[in-house]
Amino acid sequence: MVRLIARRLVISVAVLWLVTLLVFVATLLLPGDPARAILGQQATPERIAALHAQLGLDAPVWERYLNWLGGVVTGDLGTSTASQGPVAELLGGRIAASLVLLVLAAVISTAAGLALGTWTALRRGRRADHAVSGASLVVAALPEFVIGVALVVLLSTTVFPLLPSVTLAPPGEPVWSRPSQLVLPVLTLVLVVAPYITRMMRATMSEVLDSGYVEMARLKGIPERLVITRHALPHAIGPVAQVIAIQLAWLAGGVVVVEFLFRYPGVGQALIDAVNNRDVEVVQAITLLIAAVYIVVNLLADIVGILTNPKLRSEVSR
Amino acid sequence: MSPHSRISRRNFLLGSAALAGTGPLLSACGGRTRAAAAPTGPPRRGGTLRVGVTGGGASDTLDPHIPATNPDIARVRNLYEPLLYRDHDYRIEMLVAESLTSSADGRVWTATLRDGVRFHDGRPVTPADVIATFRRIMDPDDPKSGAASLTMLDEVVADGDRRVQFRLSEPSSVFDDYLGQYSLGIVPADFSLDRPIGTGPFRASTFTAGLQSTFVRNEHYWRPGQPYLDELVLINFTEDDARINALLSSQVDAIDQVPVALVEVLRSDERLRILSSETGTWLPFTMRVDRPPFDDVRVRQALRLVVDREQMINQVLSGQGRVGNDLYAPFDPAYAGDLPQRRQDIARARRLLAEAGHSSLDIELVTAPIQAGAVEAAQVFQQQAKAAGVTVRVRRVDTTTFFGENYLSWDFAQSFWYTRNYLPQVASGSLPDAPYNETHWNDPEFIDLVTRARRTVDEAERHSLLTRAQRIEYERGGNIIWGFVNQVDAFQVYVAGLVPDRTGLPLSGYSFREAWLGTGR
């Protein structure tokens, strides 16, 4: 078990390194350089030359990459080209803000998805089941920005003007100090992610409920509640964990669009800004972060899968 | 649950999806009707104005001399003041200076500082501050935005305790115009970005790049009574929908840059007011006069005749603009308004092209969303050109690419300019040594006229030279100037003091010293 995790971690580091290389090359391939991007139409040759010198863009490409890599290994994410400040400082508050969004969306959608999936599996073929299936299918088919805009129209600007449509936390004040501004972004992410979890949970749960050991448990007269929580759920969780992992990993990237739509001051917005400014250091830091979330979440899913599957569990420990 | 309710839930979801497609358009149709009346009477003191401003990002700055994006410009306009600037009608208005006079030969300009102008910390503005400001702008190691248009400025020297002399290396008849730029704000000699001090109506309070900045009333401001607001909040928005939704849900009091397609929709909402300003902002097609086929003047003339200008205004700007006549600087006193208005003439365009040996012309037009309407203008032009047998291939790139290495070398592209008067515009874009000579315009007769006009202090004589220069551009220039774009913004009905502004800067030229809040809020 420990060896498996260790091996996976080593591979993860290699994957992360590859990601940095690819992103670095990709940002170089983007036409235009940071100085021109920052200055826009105000770019005079003199201003461009001055900014080039200031930003250290005159150094060769490989040197800039190695400098950056050396910094990352020692915990220094470098200096943002656009803001002229340390990347860590630029992203610190934004990472926290995005994490709040992610964790809230993940917890709510996982809990809701598991509960709703189990509930509908127990009511297979009934109206409630059909209703939830149909609704989840429709919602799952909608892209996140459509859901987001629909929610804004419904709950903020037109039908029921209840909630703020954009996030306007004053500087220095964390976003969670105004919970009402979090509702719409979180709800959007939940609506995107929960349907998949619900559907997967319903499918696996149905299968498990039809299996021999659940029938056996019922025949033994174990109360239904215990049958579900002790016998059915643990077996259904394994496969569902994989789907949850994929969804949570998607969340890490999906926040970009949602943050853009709700003007949420997280890493997604910073990423768009950084790409526009050709701010390589910030793009690198954020993609590294998102890649890391992907890897960690998938690793966790595999561990859950192994722990809940006795066959795998014994294989690995052997 | 009955089957009916199931269907209705699905319908509901589909309905939401349909709503979503139209986005803010529909969100403006319904809405609350708690409309307050527009404020009247004398301005009221106090309150906080929250403004949504388009653009900006991590490179945002409080630097007075290098504003690049709209939020930068809005901050600069409220924190700092140049010696003089343009008022809402695009007339020169004295600010930190109370007067500016030229010597008879146009080589020395003397500014007299306004009595009682103080910086945010209460210190009076001295000639030493003005000299230091221009030294900072012209710093050879780090020239600021304004330096490019001040190349004729030799030195700035004090003349007594209230006067400053600008000594020029060549005579300039319109040096006041060059000094009247928002990026030439006067700052103290000991200025540092940690203490962004100027003479503007508001003092800096907080600033977070890419997100928002707040300002408080400058109690030392020289205009009695102003500003009326206690606090000003400028909030960055990168996305159109987010900005409009923020206005509709009353999270901000005013926004700049309303997409023209939404103007009528927002106008029908009685909680909101639309501010539409006629400006001298233009969005030309730029033809490089040194590259085939545009090096043939007949091709340039033909392409100018291909454009249906009224249709451009209607389709690209939804009517929010005025027809152009291939001339810029419409508010310049010397504007050649008596040249006949050019109209679409396909037959003549075809004849000119045939004479030039291009009976079927195939050209590439490079476009980018450099300004609202730019890409749409390229598409409409593509359609209009078909009638004259011209195939226009529209190549769309992103804005950073457009202004990247190839900017200034595209054969046929577009550009975007704010309001300027004639000579400053020529210095920026129509001379061989201009920083943005997009058309590679290099006409000896034109250069001669402009060079003479720059030195001519006599106004009537200068006007006649400029009229002749404009006629040359009208006949053989490389710009297709089909129209002038209105600046369209929106604000809540309880906001007062925002008026149409000709400079092309949004929301009253971002001049919030005159803004105040009615009681309806």
Side-chain angles (χ1 to χ4, degrees), chain B residues 111-165:
Chain B
T112 308
L113 300 182
R114 187 181 293 280
D115 200 15
V117 176
R118 289 167 185 280
F119 289 116
H120 293 158
D121 56 3
R123 286 181 294 166
V125 179
T126 64
D129 297 318
V130 178
I131 293 166
T133 297
F134 281 90
R135 191 172 298 135
R136 183 173 193 272
I137 294 166
M138 311 290 287
D139 182 357
D141 295 330
D142 183 13
K144 307 296 189 290
S145 312
S149 56
L150 292 177
T151 44
M152 76 297 264
L153 179 58
D154 228 7
E155 57 175 343
V156 189
V157 291
D159 173 19
D161 6 308
R162 273 187 56 205
R163 277 205 297 275
V164 184
Q165 279 188 1

Short mmCIF file of all heavy atoms in Angstrom, two decimals, chain B residues 111-165:
data_model
loop_
_atom_site.label_atom_id
_atom_site.label_comp_id
_atom_site.label_asym_id
_atom_site.label_seq_id
_atom_site.Cartn_x
_atom_site.Cartn_y
_atom_site.Cartn_z
N ALA B 111 3.72 78.71 -18.45
CA ALA B 111 2.54 78.34 -17.67
C ALA B 111 2.58 79.05 -16.33
O ALA B 111 3.62 79.09 -15.68
CB ALA B 111 2.51 76.84 -17.45
N THR B 112 1.44 79.63 -15.94
CA THR B 112 1.34 80.23 -14.61
C THR B 112 0.51 79.29 -13.74
O THR B 112 -0.60 78.93 -14.11
CB THR B 112 0.65 81.60 -14.69
OG1 THR B 112 1.33 82.37 -15.68
CG2 THR B 112 0.68 82.31 -13.36
N LEU B 113 1.09 78.90 -12.61
CA LEU B 113 0.39 77.94 -11.76
C LEU B 113 -0.79 78.61 -11.06
O LEU B 113 -0.70 79.76 -10.64
CB LEU B 113 1.34 77.35 -10.73
CG LEU B 113 2.55 76.60 -11.31
CD1 LEU B 113 3.39 76.01 -10.21
CD2 LEU B 113 2.08 75.52 -12.26
N ARG B 114 -1.86 77.85 -10.93
CA ARG B 114 -3.06 78.37 -10.28
C ARG B 114 -2.77 78.66 -8.81
O ARG B 114 -2.10 77.87 -8.14
CB ARG B 114 -4.17 77.33 -10.41
CG ARG B 114 -5.52 77.77 -9.93
CD ARG B 114 -6.52 76.64 -10.10
NE ARG B 114 -6.77 76.35 -11.52
CZ ARG B 114 -7.59 77.05 -12.30
NH1 ARG B 114 -8.24 78.08 -11.81
NH2 ARG B 114 -7.77 76.71 -13.55
N ASP B 115 -3.27 79.77 -8.34
CA ASP B 115 -3.05 80.14 -6.95
C ASP B 115 -3.89 79.20 -6.08
O ASP B 115 -5.07 79.00 -6.34
CB ASP B 115 -3.50 81.60 -6.75
CG ASP B 115 -2.88 82.18 -5.51
OD1 ASP B 115 -1.91 81.56 -5.01
OD2 ASP B 115 -3.36 83.22 -5.04
N GLY B 116 -3.26 78.63 -5.08
CA GLY B 116 -4.03 77.82 -4.13
C GLY B 116 -4.21 76.37 -4.54
O GLY B 116 -4.97 75.65 -3.90
N VAL B 117 -3.52 75.91 -5.59
CA VAL B 117 -3.60 74.48 -5.90
C VAL B 117 -2.67 73.73 -4.96
O VAL B 117 -1.50 74.08 -4.82
CB VAL B 117 -3.17 74.21 -7.35
CG1 VAL B 117 -3.16 72.71 -7.64
CG2 VAL B 117 -4.11 74.89 -8.30
N ARG B 118 -3.25 72.71 -4.30
CA ARG B 118 -2.46 71.96 -3.32
C ARG B 118 -2.50 70.47 -3.65
O ARG B 118 -3.46 69.98 -4.22
CB ARG B 118 -3.07 72.14 -1.92
CG ARG B 118 -2.85 73.50 -1.37
CD ARG B 118 -3.73 73.72 -0.14
NE ARG B 118 -3.60 75.11 0.30
CZ ARG B 118 -2.56 75.53 1.02
NH1 ARG B 118 -1.62 74.70 1.41
NH2 ARG B 118 -2.48 76.81 1.37
N PHE B 119 -1.41 69.79 -3.24
CA PHE B 119 -1.40 68.35 -3.35
C PHE B 119 -2.28 67.75 -2.27
O PHE B 119 -2.73 68.45 -1.36
CB PHE B 119 0.04 67.81 -3.23
CG PHE B 119 0.89 68.13 -4.43
CD1 PHE B 119 2.00 68.95 -4.32
CD2 PHE B 119 0.57 67.59 -5.67
CE1 PHE B 119 2.77 69.23 -5.42
CE2 PHE B 119 1.36 67.87 -6.78
CZ PHE B 119 2.45 68.70 -6.66
N HIS B 120 -2.50 66.44 -2.34
CA HIS B 120 -3.38 65.76 -1.39
C HIS B 120 -2.94 65.95 0.05
O HIS B 120 -3.74 65.88 0.97
CB HIS B 120 -3.45 64.27 -1.72
CG HIS B 120 -4.15 64.02 -3.03
ND1 HIS B 120 -3.96 62.87 -3.76
CD2 HIS B 120 -5.01 64.76 -3.74
CE1 HIS B 120 -4.69 62.93 -4.86
NE2 HIS B 120 -5.34 64.06 -4.88
N ASP B 121 -1.61 66.16 0.27
CA ASP B 121 -1.15 66.32 1.65
C ASP B 121 -1.13 67.78 2.07
O ASP B 121 -0.61 68.11 3.13
CB ASP B 121 0.24 65.69 1.82
CG ASP B 121 1.25 66.26 0.83
OD1 ASP B 121 0.87 67.17 0.06
OD2 ASP B 121 2.41 65.80 0.83
N GLY B 122 -1.67 68.67 1.24
CA GLY B 122 -1.81 70.05 1.64
C GLY B 122 -0.69 70.97 1.18
O GLY B 122 -0.79 72.18 1.33
N ARG B 123 0.39 70.39 0.63
CA ARG B 123 1.48 71.24 0.18
C ARG B 123 1.11 71.94 -1.12
O ARG B 123 0.48 71.33 -1.99
CB ARG B 123 2.75 70.40 -0.06
CG ARG B 123 3.41 69.94 1.21
CD ARG B 123 4.66 69.15 0.88
NE ARG B 123 4.33 67.89 0.20
CZ ARG B 123 5.22 67.14 -0.43
NH1 ARG B 123 6.47 67.53 -0.50
NH2 ARG B 123 4.85 66.01 -1.00
N PRO B 124 1.51 73.20 -1.28
CA PRO B 124 1.20 73.88 -2.54
C PRO B 124 2.07 73.37 -3.68
O PRO B 124 3.16 72.87 -3.45
CB PRO B 124 1.50 75.36 -2.23
CG PRO B 124 2.45 75.32 -1.09
CD PRO B 124 2.17 74.08 -0.31
N VAL B 125 1.55 73.49 -4.91
CA VAL B 125 2.31 73.07 -6.08
C VAL B 125 3.30 74.16 -6.44
O VAL B 125 2.94 75.33 -6.56
CB VAL B 125 1.36 72.82 -7.27
CG1 VAL B 125 2.15 72.39 -8.51
CG2 VAL B 125 0.32 71.76 -6.91
N THR B 126 4.56 73.78 -6.61
CA THR B 126 5.60 74.77 -6.94
C THR B 126 6.18 74.45 -8.32
O THR B 126 6.03 73.32 -8.81
CB THR B 126 6.74 74.72 -5.92
OG1 THR B 126 7.37 73.43 -6.03
CG2 THR B 126 6.25 74.91 -4.49
N PRO B 127 6.87 75.42 -8.93
CA PRO B 127 7.53 75.15 -10.22
C PRO B 127 8.46 73.94 -10.13
O PRO B 127 8.56 73.18 -11.10
CB PRO B 127 8.29 76.43 -10.50
CG PRO B 127 7.49 77.50 -9.81
CD PRO B 127 6.97 76.84 -8.57
N ALA B 128 9.13 73.74 -8.96
CA ALA B 128 10.04 72.61 -8.83
C ALA B 128 9.30 71.28 -9.03
O ALA B 128 9.83 70.34 -9.62
CB ALA B 128 10.70 72.63 -7.45
N ASP B 129 8.03 71.22 -8.55
CA ASP B 129 7.25 69.99 -8.73
C ASP B 129 6.97 69.75 -10.21
O ASP B 129 7.04 68.62 -10.69
CB ASP B 129 5.93 70.10 -7.96
CG ASP B 129 6.15 70.22 -6.45
OD1 ASP B 129 7.01 69.50 -5.94
OD2 ASP B 129 5.45 71.05 -5.82
N VAL B 130 6.62 70.83 -10.93
CA VAL B 130 6.31 70.68 -12.35
C VAL B 130 7.55 70.22 -13.11
O VAL B 130 7.49 69.31 -13.95
CB VAL B 130 5.80 72.03 -12.92
CG1 VAL B 130 5.53 71.91 -14.41
CG2 VAL B 130 4.55 72.47 -12.17
N ILE B 131 8.70 70.82 -12.76
CA ILE B 131 9.94 70.43 -13.44
C ILE B 131 10.25 68.96 -13.17
O ILE B 131 10.57 68.19 -14.08
CB ILE B 131 11.11 71.34 -12.95
CG1 ILE B 131 10.86 72.77 -13.43
CG2 ILE B 131 12.44 70.82 -13.45
CD1 ILE B 131 11.74 73.81 -12.77
N ALA B 132 10.10 68.54 -11.90
CA ALA B 132 10.37 67.14 -11.54
C ALA B 132 9.40 66.20 -12.26
O ALA B 132 9.78 65.11 -12.70
CB ALA B 132 10.26 66.96 -10.03
N THR B 133 8.15 66.62 -12.39
CA THR B 133 7.15 65.79 -13.07
C THR B 133 7.60 65.53 -14.51
O THR B 133 7.60 64.38 -14.97
CB THR B 133 5.79 66.51 -13.09
OG1 THR B 133 5.34 66.66 -11.76
CG2 THR B 133 4.78 65.70 -13.88
N PHE B 134 8.00 66.59 -15.21
CA PHE B 134 8.38 66.39 -16.61
C PHE B 134 9.71 65.65 -16.72
O PHE B 134 9.94 64.93 -17.67
CB PHE B 134 8.40 67.72 -17.36
CG PHE B 134 7.00 68.12 -17.75
CD1 PHE B 134 6.21 68.90 -16.91
CD2 PHE B 134 6.44 67.65 -18.93
CE1 PHE B 134 4.91 69.22 -17.24
CE2 PHE B 134 5.14 67.98 -19.28
CZ PHE B 134 4.37 68.77 -18.43
N ARG B 135 10.57 65.76 -15.70
CA ARG B 135 11.80 64.98 -15.71
C ARG B 135 11.44 63.50 -15.59
O ARG B 135 12.01 62.65 -16.25
CB ARG B 135 12.71 65.42 -14.57
CG ARG B 135 14.12 64.84 -14.69
CD ARG B 135 15.07 65.42 -13.67
NE ARG B 135 15.25 66.86 -13.81
CZ ARG B 135 15.24 67.73 -12.79
NH1 ARG B 135 15.04 67.29 -11.56
NH2 ARG B 135 15.41 69.00 -13.00
N ARG B 136 10.45 63.19 -14.74
CA ARG B 136 10.04 61.80 -14.57
C ARG B 136 9.45 61.25 -15.87
O ARG B 136 9.73 60.13 -16.27
CB ARG B 136 8.99 61.73 -13.45
CG ARG B 136 8.53 60.33 -13.12
CD ARG B 136 7.61 60.31 -11.90
NE ARG B 136 7.43 58.94 -11.42
CZ ARG B 136 6.49 58.12 -11.87
NH1 ARG B 136 5.64 58.53 -12.79
NH2 ARG B 136 6.39 56.88 -11.40
N ILE B 137 8.65 62.07 -16.56
CA ILE B 137 8.01 61.62 -17.79
C ILE B 137 9.04 61.40 -18.89
O ILE B 137 8.98 60.43 -19.64
CB ILE B 137 6.95 62.65 -18.24
CG1 ILE B 137 5.81 62.68 -17.22
CG2 ILE B 137 6.43 62.33 -19.63
CD1 ILE B 137 4.90 63.86 -17.37
N MET B 138 10.03 62.31 -18.97
CA MET B 138 10.98 62.26 -20.08
C MET B 138 12.21 61.42 -19.75
O MET B 138 13.15 61.40 -20.55
CB MET B 138 11.44 63.68 -20.45
CG MET B 138 10.34 64.70 -20.63
SD MET B 138 9.37 64.41 -22.10
CE MET B 138 10.52 64.91 -23.36
N ASP B 139 12.24 60.77 -18.58
CA ASP B 139 13.39 59.98 -18.16
C ASP B 139 13.89 59.10 -19.31
O ASP B 139 13.20 58.19 -19.75
CB ASP B 139 12.96 59.09 -16.97
CG ASP B 139 14.11 58.27 -16.43
OD1 ASP B 139 15.21 58.34 -17.00
OD2 ASP B 139 13.89 57.56 -15.42
N PRO B 140 15.14 59.35 -19.78
CA PRO B 140 15.61 58.60 -20.95
C PRO B 140 15.70 57.10 -20.69
O PRO B 140 15.57 56.30 -21.62
CB PRO B 140 16.99 59.19 -21.24
CG PRO B 140 17.33 60.05 -20.07
CD PRO B 140 16.09 60.36 -19.32
N ASP B 141 15.90 56.69 -19.43
CA ASP B 141 16.00 55.26 -19.15
C ASP B 141 14.63 54.61 -19.04
O ASP B 141 14.51 53.40 -19.17
CB ASP B 141 16.74 55.04 -17.82
CG ASP B 141 18.17 55.50 -17.91
OD1 ASP B 141 18.72 55.44 -19.03
OD2 ASP B 141 18.72 55.95 -16.89
N ASP B 142 13.61 55.40 -18.76
CA ASP B 142 12.28 54.84 -18.60
C ASP B 142 11.25 55.88 -19.05
O ASP B 142 10.53 56.44 -18.23
CB ASP B 142 12.07 54.45 -17.13
CG ASP B 142 10.72 53.80 -16.89
OD1 ASP B 142 10.07 53.42 -17.89
OD2 ASP B 142 10.32 53.68 -15.72
N PRO B 143 11.21 56.15 -20.37
CA PRO B 143 10.30 57.19 -20.84
C PRO B 143 8.85 56.76 -20.63
O PRO B 143 8.50 55.62 -20.89
CB PRO B 143 10.64 57.31 -22.32
CG PRO B 143 11.25 56.01 -22.68
CD PRO B 143 11.92 55.48 -21.46
N LYS B 144 8.01 57.68 -20.14
CA LYS B 144 6.62 57.35 -19.90
C LYS B 144 5.79 57.58 -21.16
O LYS B 144 6.29 58.08 -22.17
CB LYS B 144 6.08 58.19 -18.74
CG LYS B 144 6.92 58.11 -17.47
CD LYS B 144 6.92 56.69 -16.91
CE LYS B 144 7.57 56.63 -15.53
NZ LYS B 144 9.02 56.83 -15.57
N SER B 145 4.48 57.23 -21.07
CA SER B 145 3.63 57.27 -22.27
C SER B 145 3.66 58.62 -22.97
O SER B 145 3.67 58.71 -24.19
CB SER B 145 2.18 56.97 -21.91
OG SER B 145 2.09 55.85 -21.10
N GLY B 146 3.67 59.71 -22.18
CA GLY B 146 3.56 61.03 -22.77
C GLY B 146 4.82 61.50 -23.47
O GLY B 146 4.81 62.47 -24.22
N ALA B 147 5.96 60.82 -23.23
CA ALA B 147 7.24 61.29 -23.74
C ALA B 147 7.27 61.33 -25.27
O ALA B 147 7.85 62.24 -25.86
CB ALA B 147 8.38 60.41 -23.21
N ALA B 148 6.61 60.34 -25.89
CA ALA B 148 6.69 60.23 -27.35
C ALA B 148 6.15 61.47 -28.05
O ALA B 148 6.64 61.84 -29.12
CB ALA B 148 5.93 59.00 -27.81
N SER B 149 5.14 62.13 -27.46
CA SER B 149 4.56 63.29 -28.15
C SER B 149 5.19 64.60 -27.67
O SER B 149 4.78 65.67 -28.09
CB SER B 149 3.05 63.32 -27.94
OG SER B 149 2.76 63.33 -26.58
N LEU B 150 6.19 64.53 -26.79
CA LEU B 150 6.84 65.75 -26.30
C LEU B 150 8.28 65.85 -26.79
O LEU B 150 9.13 66.47 -26.14
CB LEU B 150 6.82 65.78 -24.76
CG LEU B 150 5.45 65.94 -24.11
CD1 LEU B 150 5.58 65.87 -22.59
CD2 LEU B 150 4.80 67.26 -24.51
N THR B 151 8.58 65.24 -27.94
CA THR B 151 9.97 65.20 -28.41
C THR B 151 10.54 66.60 -28.64
O THR B 151 11.74 66.79 -28.58
CB THR B 151 10.08 64.41 -29.72
OG1 THR B 151 9.01 64.82 -30.56
CG2 THR B 151 10.01 62.93 -29.47
N MET B 152 9.66 67.59 -28.91
CA MET B 152 10.17 68.94 -29.18
C MET B 152 10.50 69.69 -27.88
O MET B 152 11.06 70.78 -27.93
CB MET B 152 9.15 69.74 -30.02
CG MET B 152 7.94 70.26 -29.27
SD MET B 152 6.92 68.95 -28.59
CE MET B 152 5.68 68.79 -29.85
N LEU B 153 10.20 69.08 -26.72
CA LEU B 153 10.42 69.76 -25.44
C LEU B 153 11.90 69.66 -25.06
O LEU B 153 12.43 68.57 -24.85
CB LEU B 153 9.54 69.12 -24.36
CG LEU B 153 9.68 69.70 -22.96
CD1 LEU B 153 9.37 71.18 -22.94
CD2 LEU B 153 8.76 68.97 -21.99
N ASP B 154 12.56 70.80 -24.99
CA ASP B 154 13.99 70.83 -24.69
C ASP B 154 14.23 70.83 -23.19
O ASP B 154 14.90 69.96 -22.66
CB ASP B 154 14.59 72.09 -25.31
CG ASP B 154 15.84 71.79 -26.08
OD1 ASP B 154 16.14 70.58 -26.23
OD2 ASP B 154 16.51 72.73 -26.54
N GLU B 155 13.67 71.84 -22.52
CA GLU B 155 13.84 71.87 -21.07
C GLU B 155 12.68 72.63 -20.42
O GLU B 155 11.97 73.40 -21.07
CB GLU B 155 15.18 72.52 -20.69
CG GLU B 155 15.37 73.91 -21.25
CD GLU B 155 16.65 74.55 -20.75
OE1 GLU B 155 17.21 74.06 -19.75
OE2 GLU B 155 17.08 75.56 -21.33
N VAL B 156 12.51 72.35 -19.14
CA VAL B 156 11.48 73.01 -18.34
C VAL B 156 12.20 73.77 -17.25
O VAL B 156 12.99 73.19 -16.50
CB VAL B 156 10.53 71.97 -17.71
CG1 VAL B 156 9.34 72.67 -17.07
CG2 VAL B 156 10.06 70.97 -18.75
N VAL B 157 11.99 75.09 -17.18
CA VAL B 157 12.70 75.88 -16.16
C VAL B 157 11.72 76.75 -15.38
O VAL B 157 10.67 77.14 -15.90
CB VAL B 157 13.78 76.79 -16.79
CG1 VAL B 157 14.92 75.96 -17.33
CG2 VAL B 157 13.18 77.66 -17.87
N ALA B 158 12.08 77.04 -14.12
CA ALA B 158 11.25 77.89 -13.29
C ALA B 158 11.45 79.35 -13.70
O ALA B 158 12.53 79.74 -14.13
CB ALA B 158 11.62 77.70 -11.82
N ASP B 159 10.37 80.12 -13.54
CA ASP B 159 10.43 81.54 -13.86
C ASP B 159 9.67 82.23 -12.74
O ASP B 159 8.47 82.46 -12.83
CB ASP B 159 9.80 81.78 -15.24
CG ASP B 159 9.68 83.26 -15.57
OD1 ASP B 159 10.38 84.05 -14.94
OD2 ASP B 159 8.88 83.59 -16.46
N GLY B 160 10.39 82.52 -11.62
CA GLY B 160 9.71 83.05 -10.44
C GLY B 160 9.07 81.92 -9.66
O GLY B 160 9.30 80.74 -9.93
N ASP B 161 8.21 82.24 -8.63
CA ASP B 161 7.65 81.16 -7.80
C ASP B 161 6.32 80.64 -8.33
O ASP B 161 5.78 79.71 -7.76
CB ASP B 161 7.49 81.54 -6.32
CG ASP B 161 7.78 82.96 -6.04
OD1 ASP B 161 8.88 83.35 -6.47
OD2 ASP B 161 6.96 83.66 -5.41
N ARG B 162 5.79 81.23 -9.37
CA ARG B 162 4.52 80.66 -9.85
C ARG B 162 4.54 80.35 -11.34
O ARG B 162 3.54 79.91 -11.88
CB ARG B 162 3.37 81.62 -9.52
CG ARG B 162 2.80 81.38 -8.12
CD ARG B 162 1.57 82.20 -7.86
NE ARG B 162 0.53 81.99 -8.84
CZ ARG B 162 -0.40 82.90 -9.12
NH1 ARG B 162 -0.39 84.06 -8.51
NH2 ARG B 162 -1.33 82.66 -10.00
N ARG B 163 5.67 80.62 -12.00
CA ARG B 163 5.67 80.41 -13.44
C ARG B 163 6.70 79.37 -13.86
O ARG B 163 7.75 79.23 -13.25
CB ARG B 163 5.93 81.73 -14.16
CG ARG B 163 4.66 82.56 -14.32
CD ARG B 163 4.74 83.50 -15.50
NE ARG B 163 5.78 84.49 -15.34
CZ ARG B 163 5.60 85.64 -14.69
NH1 ARG B 163 4.44 85.91 -14.13
NH2 ARG B 163 6.58 86.50 -14.59
N VAL B 164 6.35 78.63 -14.92
CA VAL B 164 7.24 77.61 -15.46
C VAL B 164 7.35 77.83 -16.96
O VAL B 164 6.33 78.06 -17.63
CB VAL B 164 6.69 76.19 -15.21
CG1 VAL B 164 7.66 75.13 -15.69
CG2 VAL B 164 6.36 75.98 -13.76
N GLN B 165 8.57 77.77 -17.48
CA GLN B 165 8.77 77.94 -18.92
C GLN B 165 9.07 76.61 -19.59
O GLN B 165 9.91 75.85 -19.10
CB GLN B 165 9.92 78.90 -19.18
CG GLN B 165 9.55 80.35 -19.06
CD GLN B 165 10.70 81.24 -19.51
OE1 GLN B 165 11.76 80.74 -19.93
NE2 GLN B 165 10.50 82.53 -19.44
#
